[in-house]
Amino acid sequence: MEYEAVIGLETHVQLKTRSKMFGTSSAEYQNADPNTVVDAVSMALPGTLPVVNEKAIEYAMMIGMAINCNIARVTKFDRKQYTYPDLMKGYQITQLDEPICYDGYIDLPLDPPVRVRINRVHMEEDVARLVHVEGPQGGTIHSLLDINRAGTPLMEVVTEPDMRTSEQVESYITNLQHIIRYLGVGTANMEEGSFRCDANVSVRPVGQTELTTKVEVKNMNRVRAVVRAIEHEIERQIAVVESGERVVQETRGWDDGKGVTIPQRSKEEAHDYRFFPEPDIPPLVITEEWIDSTQAKMPELPIARKDRFVDEWGLNEYDADLLTAVRSTADYFEEVCAGVKASTADVKKAYAKEAANWLNGEMARMMNNDEISDMSQTRVKPAALATLVEKFRKRELNNNSAKQVFEVMYTKGTDPETVIKDLGLGMVSGADSLGPVVDEVIENNEKAVVDFLAGKEASLKFLMGQVMKATRGQADAAQATEMIREKLATRR
Ligand code: ADP
Ligand code: MG
């Protein structure tokens, strides 16, 4: 029997608003001391009332638009009751049946493409943070409560059960992360908890269209963990079915160290949340004007931008992918190429390829070393890099020298002309400058010449090395190789 997996994702995303979802204190709690960013509403003091954060609604609308959702004209909030020390009011304000956005989709750029339908995007509030303090013999002796996170805006994106493999899930997660970062509405960082996925997984015989019992898997804080948890869960469920038993509906937690999912809560133990409409917040009307003005703020999104980079700049898929994953990188690339935007397709393509090589190569390597993720935060200005690319393309610098120049540009922020002058760099090329150097190298390396003439190609490399040494690394490599070959050909 062949099985297929059916997977739906519920993703919580923290939105980067200035203040909290229903209260006035700062929503930037990540680096704050415990219990320093709080307000009466977020602490649930008696007599306080929630006020909806307009920006949070707008951000949710932007995400909804980016993933092709309908935007509700009226949206409402609901109370979800449960008791836990991290939930200040004893209930969470969320949205049950009239979410802000509904019925969208993301087309995953896989081969073949996969469409994942989006069921809904709604807003709710995050809970406080509990820190469990361990005693000397192990085990929790007491728990500390940090209220800073309580009430920060949390958006939930729920997919239909349209994914079939962990590869599709990985693609869904990275694409959603890219969209959120492009829109500038969140950091979408799994490790810091600003992007949290719960995976619903079931298995069924290939060909069957009815859904089967699903298991919800939680506690994954890296993309890699989501992928491993899903793969493990699929295998586990297939083994259950094969042994003639039934998969039971439950919530399981991922243990990253052991690489297994463990039961957390069965269907019987599920909460009865006793939802009812939030009486303190009237239904929220989203006007056409509000939708239009939000639409006007939407930037070009990563998948569209990648396609355009391939069409307009003639980049290959790989380069276009790397350059568009982060918005600041894509912006930077287009600034470097701005000077040739009006040129012919051939010139644009050649120039763009060169710029892409520098950005995805040397620049990415240096940024990686320094743990910088935003290209505009480096010391290299796009115009300065454009000059370097131009000089390199016009063969005023060879590969070695250009790299040397770039390194100084990157570490000191100096412009390329100054670096070239300071280091005395230039290209040694042409019969007048390079010719005599090549002659001398041939003269002084009789053995390599004889070997080469006897068919030993490696000797050419040696001779090239000597030319580079004599020119302090500044010879036009392609020309020098050509010259050595030509001059030696006459000796055969
Ligand atoms: P619940 O009533 O348990 O909350 P929902 O129908 O609201 O379930 O779906 C919650 C999530 O589970 C959604 O992301 C949905 O796509 C996914 N899902 C629903 N049924 C299945 C299934 N049989 N297999 C896998 N995922 C499923
Ligand atoms: Mg549900």
Side-chain angles (χ1 to χ4, degrees):
M1 179 85 85
E2 283 251 23
Y3 296 91
E4 76 171 359
V6 173
I7 308 159
L9 243 56
E10 296 169 288
T11 308
H12 284 95
V13 182
Q14 287 182 341
L15 297 185
K16 226 169 46 183
T17 54
R18 275 200 300 220
S19 61
K20 291 191 176 171
M21 187 62 211
F22 304 111
T24 52
S25 57
S26 172
E28 279 175 41
Y29 70 91
Q30 296 274 8
N31 300 314
D33 286 336
N35 300 309
T36 55
V37 283
V38 294
D39 60 85
V41 170
S42 309
M43 289 169 75
L45 296 186
T48 56
L49 289 171
V51 176
V52 176
N53 183 329
E54 186 177 332
K55 206 74 195 170
I57 303 293
E58 199 169 295
Y59 284 176
M61 277 162 59
M62 289 173 82
I63 305 250
M65 288 171 182
I67 56 181
N68 310 292
C69 287
N70 293 314
I71 310 296
R73 295 309 191 263
V74 180
T75 183
K76 87 173 187 2
F77 290 89
D78 299 276
R79 277 191 192 182
K80 177 178 180 178
Q81 344 274 329
Y82 65 96
T83 45
Y84 202 69
D86 64 6
L87 189 62
M88 305 308 293
K89 295 189 292 295
Y91 60 85
Q92 180 193 33
I93 303 179
T94 177
Q95 300 195 283
L96 178 65
D97 50 9
E98 291 185 48
I100 298 170
C101 317
Y102 58 95
D103 289 354
Y105 61 87
I106 298 186
D107 283 330
L108 304 179
L110 296 168
D111 188 19
V114 173
R115 174 163 294 189
V116 178
R117 289 168 302 151
I118 304 296
N119 175 284
R120 58 192 280 146
V121 176
H122 73 249
M123 282 307 305
E124 55 194 37
E125 52 181 338
D126 211 342
V127 295
R129 198 168 69 93
L130 285 171
V131 180
H132 304 292
V133 179
E134 232 180 64
Q137 266 87 47
T140 301
I141 49 167
H142 61 264
S143 297
L144 300 171
L145 185 63
D146 176 7
I147 307 176
N148 288 350
R149 193 176 65 186
T152 52
L154 201 58
M155 180 188 69
E156 184 170 347
V157 183
V158 182
T159 76
E160 296 294 342
D162 287 350
M163 287 167 274
R164 298 290 174 265
T165 63
S166 59
E167 185 203 7
Q168 292 172 7
V169 171
E170 185 170 6
S171 172
Y172 170 82
I173 291 175
T174 48
N175 279 286
L176 186 57
Q177 285 177 319
H178 290 168
I179 288 170
I180 289 159
R181 292 175 192 150
Y182 254 66
L183 294 173
V185 300
T187 52
N189 183 326
M190 285 187 103
E191 284 85 350
E192 73 178 26
S194 58
F195 188 101
R196 320 196 274 263
C197 289
D198 299 336
N200 297 275
V201 181
S202 62
V203 298
R204 66 184 176 192
V206 170
Q208 178 180 321
T209 49
E210 297 86 47
L211 293 172
T212 54
T213 304
K214 70 173 158 67
V215 166
E216 184 174 4
V217 187
K218 292 177 175 287
N219 295 348
M220 294 88 70
N221 56 7
R222 282 179 304 134
V223 185
R224 191 75 216 121
V226 179
V227 167
R228 287 178 64 214
I230 287 174
E231 283 171 0
H232 168 270
E233 186 56 24
I234 293 171
E235 267 179 40
R236 189 192 68 83
Q237 289 185 19
I238 291 176
V240 169
V241 176
E242 294 266 85
S243 72
E245 284 173 46
R246 281 167 179 272
V247 171
V248 293
Q249 187 177 333
E250 62 182 347
T251 303
R252 298 176 73 92
W254 170 246
D255 182 328
D256 202 57
K258 296 205 179 80
V260 295
T261 60
I262 350 176
Q264 276 188 339
R265 198 163 66 204
S266 71
K267 193 182 176 186
E268 288 70 37
E269 295 161 295
H271 294 293
D272 173 7
Y273 294 120
R274 293 168 290 123
F275 281 100
F276 65 82
E278 170 57 59
D280 291 338
I281 304 174
L284 184 70
V285 175
I286 300 178
T287 61
E288 295 299 325
E289 291 78 46
W290 195 7
I291 292 177
D292 290 346
S293 66
T294 305
Q295 186 79 56
K297 291 178 195 163
M298 295 286 288
E300 185 182 26
L301 292 163
I303 295 175
R305 199 164 193 185
K306 179 194 156 182
D307 290 345
R308 182 168 64 76
F309 275 20
V310 171
D311 289 346
E312 183 184 350
W313 294 105
L315 292 175
N316 59 35
E317 297 270 329
Y318 177 79
D319 283 335
D321 235 359
L322 288 178
L323 290 173
T324 53
V326 176
R327 185 174 165 186
S328 52
T329 304
D331 289 345
Y332 191 101
F333 167 79
E334 292 209 282
E335 278 184 63
V336 172
C337 295
V340 294
K341 199 167 168 59
S343 309
T344 62
D346 281 352
V347 171
K348 283 177 82 169
K349 183 173 175 170
Y351 191 94
K353 176 65 191 158
E354 204 56 71
N357 286 350
W358 281 96
L359 299 187
N360 293 336
E362 289 299 284
M363 180 73 113
R365 194 173 59 78
M366 303 281 233
M367 285 171 65
N368 225 0
N369 280 344
D370 293 351
E371 293 181 19
I372 298 178
S373 57
D374 184 341
M375 221 167 256
S376 68
Q377 300 292 305
T378 65
R379 292 201 177 86
V380 185
K381 296 280 160 282
L385 189 68
T387 307
L388 180 67
V389 168
E390 193 54 38
K391 289 192 178 301
F392 186 62
R393 266 176 41 78
K394 283 203 202 130
R395 308 172 71 88
E396 287 173 31
L397 293 171
N398 69 5
N399 203 30
N400 278 332
S401 310
K403 275 190 182 158
Q404 253 177 288
V405 174
F406 181 80
E407 187 157 343
V408 180
M409 287 166 67
Y410 182 89
T411 48
K412 303 222 173 85
T414 324
D415 64 273
E417 278 100 346
T418 311
V419 184
I420 290 165
K421 215 160 78 217
D422 289 354
L423 298 182
L425 292 174
M427 184 80 108
V428 180
S429 63
D432 290 348
S433 318
L434 190 55
V437 179
V438 171
D439 287 338
E440 202 180 309
V441 166
I442 289 174
E443 189 88 0
N444 296 337
N445 293 282
E446 193 55 34
K447 177 162 166 20
V449 170
V450 171
D451 286 349
F452 176 75
L453 291 173
K456 197 173 153 201
E457 269 295 308
S459 298
L460 182 64
K461 258 216 177 104
F462 172 79
L463 293 170
M464 269 302 296
Q466 297 305 306
V467 171
M468 281 299 173
K469 207 164 141 194
T471 56
R472 290 193 304 127
Q474 296 174 55
D476 181 330
Q479 237 181 50
T481 311
E482 189 75 355
M483 273 185 194
I484 296 173
R485 283 191 187 282
E486 270 172 18
K487 288 181 196 279
L488 293 188
T490 63
R491 293 216 194 169
R492 277 187 203 271

PDB file of all heavy atoms in Angstrom, residues 6-10 158-161 200-202 211-212 214, ligand 1:
ATOM      1  N   VAL A   6      -1.042  14.301   4.367  1.00  0.00           N
ATOM      2  CA  VAL A   6      -1.869  15.495   4.176  1.00  0.00           C
ATOM      3  C   VAL A   6      -1.483  16.443   5.311  1.00  0.00           C
ATOM      4  O   VAL A   6      -1.522  16.064   6.481  1.00  0.00           O
ATOM      5  CB  VAL A   6      -3.365  15.138   4.248  1.00  0.00           C
ATOM      6  CG1 VAL A   6      -4.223  16.400   4.214  1.00  0.00           C
ATOM      7  CG2 VAL A   6      -3.733  14.204   3.094  1.00  0.00           C
ATOM      8  N   ILE A   7      -1.075  17.651   4.952  1.00  0.00           N
ATOM      9  CA  ILE A   7      -0.545  18.564   5.973  1.00  0.00           C
ATOM     10  C   ILE A   7      -1.170  19.954   5.849  1.00  0.00           C
ATOM     11  O   ILE A   7      -1.279  20.506   4.755  1.00  0.00           O
ATOM     12  CB  ILE A   7       0.990  18.706   5.832  1.00  0.00           C
ATOM     13  CG1 ILE A   7       1.660  17.320   5.795  1.00  0.00           C
ATOM     14  CG2 ILE A   7       1.564  19.544   6.986  1.00  0.00           C
ATOM     15  CD1 ILE A   7       3.038  17.312   5.171  1.00  0.00           C
ATOM     16  N   GLY A   8      -1.602  20.489   6.983  1.00  0.00           N
ATOM     17  CA  GLY A   8      -2.092  21.876   7.039  1.00  0.00           C
ATOM     18  C   GLY A   8      -1.324  22.596   8.133  1.00  0.00           C
ATOM     19  O   GLY A   8      -1.005  22.002   9.169  1.00  0.00           O
ATOM     20  N   LEU A   9      -1.010  23.872   7.921  1.00  0.00           N
ATOM     21  CA  LEU A   9      -0.201  24.602   8.894  1.00  0.00           C
ATOM     22  C   LEU A   9      -0.965  25.744   9.552  1.00  0.00           C
ATOM     23  O   LEU A   9      -1.730  26.449   8.894  1.00  0.00           O
ATOM     24  CB  LEU A   9       1.035  25.182   8.191  1.00  0.00           C
ATOM     25  CG  LEU A   9       2.387  24.660   8.674  1.00  0.00           C
ATOM     26  CD1 LEU A   9       2.444  23.152   8.572  1.00  0.00           C
ATOM     27  CD2 LEU A   9       3.517  25.299   7.906  1.00  0.00           C
ATOM     28  N   GLU A  10      -0.768  25.892  10.853  1.00  0.00           N
ATOM     29  CA  GLU A  10      -1.287  27.052  11.570  1.00  0.00           C
ATOM     30  C   GLU A  10      -0.060  27.806  12.064  1.00  0.00           C
ATOM     31  O   GLU A  10       0.735  27.265  12.831  1.00  0.00           O
ATOM     32  CB  GLU A  10      -2.152  26.597  12.746  1.00  0.00           C
ATOM     33  CG  GLU A  10      -3.406  25.847  12.283  1.00  0.00           C
ATOM     34  CD  GLU A  10      -4.125  25.156  13.430  1.00  0.00           C
ATOM     35  OE1 GLU A  10      -3.587  24.139  13.925  1.00  0.00           O
ATOM     36  OE2 GLU A  10      -5.196  25.613  13.814  1.00  0.00           O
ATOM     37  N   VAL A 158      -3.871  30.405   8.744  1.00  0.00           N
ATOM     38  CA  VAL A 158      -4.266  28.995   8.715  1.00  0.00           C
ATOM     39  C   VAL A 158      -4.423  28.530   7.275  1.00  0.00           C
ATOM     40  O   VAL A 158      -5.142  29.156   6.495  1.00  0.00           O
ATOM     41  CB  VAL A 158      -5.606  28.783   9.462  1.00  0.00           C
ATOM     42  CG1 VAL A 158      -5.995  27.306   9.464  1.00  0.00           C
ATOM     43  CG2 VAL A 158      -5.527  29.326  10.886  1.00  0.00           C
ATOM     44  N   THR A 159      -3.729  27.452   6.922  1.00  0.00           N
ATOM     45  CA  THR A 159      -3.848  26.935   5.552  1.00  0.00           C
ATOM     46  C   THR A 159      -4.923  25.855   5.494  1.00  0.00           C
ATOM     47  O   THR A 159      -5.332  25.300   6.507  1.00  0.00           O
ATOM     48  CB  THR A 159      -2.547  26.273   5.044  1.00  0.00           C
ATOM     49  OG1 THR A 159      -2.412  24.975   5.662  1.00  0.00           O
ATOM     50  CG2 THR A 159      -1.330  27.132   5.333  1.00  0.00           C
ATOM     51  N   GLU A 160      -5.359  25.544   4.281  1.00  0.00           N
ATOM     52  CA  GLU A 160      -6.158  24.342   4.047  1.00  0.00           C
ATOM     53  C   GLU A 160      -5.170  23.172   4.040  1.00  0.00           C
ATOM     54  O   GLU A 160      -3.950  23.379   3.880  1.00  0.00           O
ATOM     55  CB  GLU A 160      -6.886  24.446   2.704  1.00  0.00           C
ATOM     56  CG  GLU A 160      -7.919  25.570   2.621  1.00  0.00           C
ATOM     57  CD  GLU A 160      -9.112  25.340   3.558  1.00  0.00           C
ATOM     58  OE1 GLU A 160      -9.310  24.196   4.008  1.00  0.00           O
ATOM     59  OE2 GLU A 160      -9.825  26.319   3.851  1.00  0.00           O
ATOM     60  N   PRO A 161      -5.660  21.934   4.196  1.00  0.00           N
ATOM     61  CA  PRO A 161      -4.720  20.789   4.222  1.00  0.00           C
ATOM     62  C   PRO A 161      -4.222  20.443   2.819  1.00  0.00           C
ATOM     63  O   PRO A 161      -4.536  19.384   2.287  1.00  0.00           O
ATOM     64  CB  PRO A 161      -5.569  19.656   4.826  1.00  0.00           C
ATOM     65  CG  PRO A 161      -6.983  20.032   4.550  1.00  0.00           C
ATOM     66  CD  PRO A 161      -7.048  21.525   4.454  1.00  0.00           C
ATOM     67  N   ASN A 200      -0.458  20.195  11.248  1.00  0.00           N
ATOM     68  CA  ASN A 200      -1.496  19.165  11.323  1.00  0.00           C
ATOM     69  C   ASN A 200      -1.184  18.128  10.271  1.00  0.00           C
ATOM     70  O   ASN A 200      -1.035  18.466   9.095  1.00  0.00           O
ATOM     71  CB  ASN A 200      -2.865  19.792  11.056  1.00  0.00           C
ATOM     72  CG  ASN A 200      -3.217  20.820  12.120  1.00  0.00           C
ATOM     73  OD1 ASN A 200      -3.739  20.484  13.163  1.00  0.00           O
ATOM     74  ND2 ASN A 200      -2.877  22.071  11.862  1.00  0.00           N
ATOM     75  N   VAL A 201      -1.041  16.881  10.713  1.00  0.00           N
ATOM     76  CA  VAL A 201      -0.577  15.830   9.808  1.00  0.00           C
ATOM     77  C   VAL A 201      -1.516  14.638   9.846  1.00  0.00           C
ATOM     78  O   VAL A 201      -1.960  14.216  10.916  1.00  0.00           O
ATOM     79  CB  VAL A 201       0.841  15.357  10.221  1.00  0.00           C
ATOM     80  CG1 VAL A 201       1.355  14.283   9.267  1.00  0.00           C
ATOM     81  CG2 VAL A 201       1.814  16.519  10.304  1.00  0.00           C
ATOM     82  N   SER A 202      -1.843  14.107   8.672  1.00  0.00           N
ATOM     83  CA  SER A 202      -2.550  12.825   8.596  1.00  0.00           C
ATOM     84  C   SER A 202      -1.980  12.051   7.416  1.00  0.00           C
ATOM     85  O   SER A 202      -1.275  12.626   6.585  1.00  0.00           O
ATOM     86  CB  SER A 202      -4.060  13.034   8.430  1.00  0.00           C
ATOM     87  OG  SER A 202      -4.341  13.707   7.222  1.00  0.00           O
ATOM     88  N   LEU A 211     -10.503  13.002   3.903  1.00  0.00           N
ATOM     89  CA  LEU A 211      -9.484  13.257   4.914  1.00  0.00           C
ATOM     90  C   LEU A 211      -9.563  12.184   5.991  1.00  0.00           C
ATOM     91  O   LEU A 211     -10.612  11.594   6.213  1.00  0.00           O
ATOM     92  CB  LEU A 211      -9.689  14.634   5.542  1.00  0.00           C
ATOM     93  CG  LEU A 211      -9.461  15.832   4.617  1.00  0.00           C
ATOM     94  CD1 LEU A 211      -9.876  17.128   5.306  1.00  0.00           C
ATOM     95  CD2 LEU A 211      -7.994  15.899   4.187  1.00  0.00           C
ATOM     96  N   THR A 212      -8.437  11.946   6.648  1.00  0.00           N
ATOM     97  CA  THR A 212      -8.414  10.991   7.762  1.00  0.00           C
ATOM     98  C   THR A 212      -8.070  11.750   9.046  1.00  0.00           C
ATOM     99  O   THR A 212      -7.792  12.940   9.006  1.00  0.00           O
ATOM    100  CB  THR A 212      -7.358   9.897   7.505  1.00  0.00           C
ATOM    101  OG1 THR A 212      -6.122  10.556   7.244  1.00  0.00           O
ATOM    102  CG2 THR A 212      -7.735   9.038   6.307  1.00  0.00           C
ATOM    103  N   LYS A 214      -6.383  13.574  11.966  1.00  0.00           N
ATOM    104  CA  LYS A 214      -5.121  14.314  11.979  1.00  0.00           C
ATOM    105  C   LYS A 214      -4.533  14.401  13.389  1.00  0.00           C
ATOM    106  O   LYS A 214      -5.243  14.282  14.384  1.00  0.00           O
ATOM    107  CB  LYS A 214      -5.331  15.725  11.449  1.00  0.00           C
ATOM    108  CG  LYS A 214      -6.135  16.641  12.362  1.00  0.00           C
ATOM    109  CD  LYS A 214      -6.139  18.045  11.811  1.00  0.00           C
ATOM    110  CE  LYS A 214      -7.280  18.902  12.301  1.00  0.00           C
ATOM    111  NZ  LYS A 214      -7.272  19.243  13.714  1.00  0.00           N
TER     112      LYS A 214
HETATM  113  P1  ADP B   1      -9.776  21.935  14.159  1.00  0.00           P
HETATM  114  O1  ADP B   1     -11.262  21.902  14.140  1.00  0.00           O
HETATM  115  O2  ADP B   1      -9.147  20.766  14.811  1.00  0.00           O
HETATM  116  O3  ADP B   1      -9.221  23.247  14.591  1.00  0.00           O
HETATM  117  P2  ADP B   1      -9.549  22.745  11.438  1.00  0.00           P
HETATM  118  O4  ADP B   1     -10.438  22.150  10.409  1.00  0.00           O
HETATM  119  O5  ADP B   1      -9.890  24.104  11.930  1.00  0.00           O
HETATM  120  O6  ADP B   1      -9.366  21.739  12.627  1.00  0.00           O
HETATM  121  O7  ADP B   1      -8.101  22.758  10.822  1.00  0.00           O
HETATM  122  C1  ADP B   1      -6.992  23.145  11.567  1.00  0.00           C
HETATM  123  C2  ADP B   1      -5.779  22.896  10.693  1.00  0.00           C
HETATM  124  O8  ADP B   1      -5.644  21.515  10.418  1.00  0.00           O
HETATM  125  C3  ADP B   1      -5.837  23.567   9.326  1.00  0.00           C
HETATM  126  O9  ADP B   1      -4.558  24.060   8.994  1.00  0.00           O
HETATM  127  C4  ADP B   1      -6.225  22.450   8.388  1.00  0.00           C
HETATM  128  O10 ADP B   1      -5.699  22.651   7.097  1.00  0.00           O
HETATM  129  C5  ADP B   1      -5.586  21.252   9.039  1.00  0.00           C
HETATM  130  N1  ADP B   1      -6.293  19.999   8.794  1.00  0.00           N
HETATM  131  C6  ADP B   1      -7.636  19.766   8.915  1.00  0.00           C
HETATM  132  N2  ADP B   1      -7.910  18.476   8.658  1.00  0.00           N
HETATM  133  C7  ADP B   1      -6.739  17.859   8.380  1.00  0.00           C
HETATM  134  C8  ADP B   1      -6.361  16.516   8.050  1.00  0.00           C
HETATM  135  N3  ADP B   1      -7.254  15.525   7.968  1.00  0.00           N
HETATM  136  N4  ADP B   1      -5.052  16.270   7.840  1.00  0.00           N
HETATM  137  C9  ADP B   1      -4.138  17.231   7.953  1.00  0.00           C
HETATM  138  N5  ADP B   1      -4.422  18.501   8.251  1.00  0.00           N
HETATM  139  C10 ADP B   1      -5.703  18.832   8.471  1.00  0.00           C
END
